[in-house]
Structures are given as structure tokens and as C-alpha cells.
Amino acid sequence: MAETEAALRTLAHNVRAARTRAGLSLDELGRRAKVSKGALVALEKAQGNPNFATLVRLADTLGISVSALMEGPAEGRVRIVSADSVMPLWAGEKGGEARLMLTTSGPAPVEVWRWRLEPGEEYPSHPHQPGVVETVSVTAGRMVLVVDGTEHAVEAGQTATFDGDAPHTYRGAGTGTCHLIMTVHIPPGPGSAS
């Protein structure tokens, strides 16, 4: 339980700091991210349990990565992250999950995710901010990537990339579990060197 409380305190600090840097009031951040002011007040007080969709909307609105909202200070030049040390941020109805492994630093960060999708299980994502690019590399099994209503089969050994500012869905396909690595390439934020 102490680990969860520490994670909430870090999240609260990072949301408040990013909101302040962006010059946004609680009302304005809530309006832009489609999150209630009450939920934001609770979040900034390290209370509540925000869901994955809320974290994605806040990160997109603030122009930062989801993990930038969740990570404490950097610990060194090399980070090695084990999948079992990272809590899933999404859990599917059939046992699938998504874990945000890490986010690279710098003006244009990249999130690295590990996904597991069971056959027929899907995760629909809302469009991200313009400039976000996603890639999916299937390491085992099969999936269907749906981008802006068009389905694309992606099999083990294949990688797909697309602009993340369109509605998109990940769906497990075939008869076995689909394992994939997803990256989210975030464009430089305001004030970053290009």
C-alpha cells in the first residue's frame, strides 16, 4: 500500500508542476482534458485512483508523456526496467494488459509499452495530440490495428506505424495470445529546441 501512496504523491506533484509550467488553472486543464475539476483537485492532493484514459488525456493536454506524470527523478544514465516491476496501466476483460515500461528523456520523448492481447480483446484509444506517432511491433501472435476505421492485420515479426491523432484500436486476433511492443513518439513541447 505504501508503494501505491508514494506513486500517487509523485503523480500529484508531477501533474501540479506540469499544469503550473503550462500556465493552466485547474478549470482550464479540466476543460481541455475533459476531466472534472473535482477529479483534478483530488489528483493534485494525491487522492483518488485516476484511470488510464484520464492519465492519457492529461498527458496529451499538457504535452508530456504518461510516464512523465508518473516517474520520480531520474536515477542515472542507464535505466533497466523489468516488466514485473511495472504495474499494468490497462487490464483487459480476457487477461490482456498494457505496461508502460519507460519514457526516454529529451525534447521529443518516446514511451515504450509492453502489451498482451487475448483473441478478440481490444483497447480503443482516443486520438492523441497532433504530431504523436505510434508504432506496434508484434513479437508473438496476431493483432488487428484499426486506424480511423480501417483494419490492418499485423502478425509476429511485423511492425506498423501510424499518426496517433486518429482514433485507433488494438485487437487481439487469431487463436493465441498477441504480444507486442508499442512506442509512442511525442513531439517536442513548447519551448523545446527543434
Side-chain angles (χ1 to χ4, degrees):
M1 189 63 91
E3 190 174 301
T4 300
E5 291 171 6
L8 271 175
R9 283 194 303 274
T10 298
L11 177 62
H13 173 269
N14 291 345
V15 169
R16 187 171 36 256
R19 179 178 62 78
T20 301
R21 276 192 310 273
L24 298 174
S25 67
L26 284 166
D27 287 323
E28 185 61 15
L29 177 58
R31 185 186 68 73
R32 290 183 186 184
K34 298 179 177 71
V35 175
S36 74
K37 182 179 177 182
L40 285 174
V41 168
L43 180 59
E44 288 194 6
K45 290 183 177 179
Q47 300 168 347
N49 185 18
N51 65 30
F52 179 51
T54 298
L55 293 176
V56 170
R57 285 195 307 272
L58 286 171
D60 280 349
T61 301
L62 293 166
I64 60 177
S65 67
V66 172
S67 63
L69 291 177
M70 301 175 64
E71 290 180 344
E75 297 176 9
R77 292 181 66 154
V78 176
R79 286 183 291 160
I80 299 174
V81 180
S82 174
D84 60 2
S85 71
V86 178
M87 294 296 295
L89 289 179
W90 172 80
E93 293 179 1
K94 298 180 180 181
E97 64 181 26
R99 295 175 190 253
L100 176 56
M101 299 303 296
L102 60 85
T103 300
T104 62
S105 59
V110 176
E111 296 176 350
V112 179
W113 293 78
R114 291 179 67 121
W115 283 76
R116 187 178 74 229
L117 294 167
E118 296 302 327
E121 189 171 49
E122 65 179 36
Y123 174 77
S125 178
H126 72 284
H128 300 296
Q129 67 187 15
V132 170
V133 175
E134 292 193 21
T135 66
V136 290
S137 295
V138 176
T139 59
R142 297 176 52 215
M143 72 172 288
V144 173
L145 171 65
V146 184
V147 178
D148 215 10
T150 301
E151 295 188 359
H152 307 271
V154 187
E155 300 189 14
Q158 293 182 322
T159 299
T161 187
F162 61 96
D163 293 333
D165 61 355
H168 51 282
T169 299
Y170 301 128
R171 182 183 316 130
T175 57
T177 302
C178 176
H179 293 271
L180 63 111
I181 303 296
M182 177 187 74
T183 59
V184 180
H185 303 258
I186 301 164
S192 296
S194 295

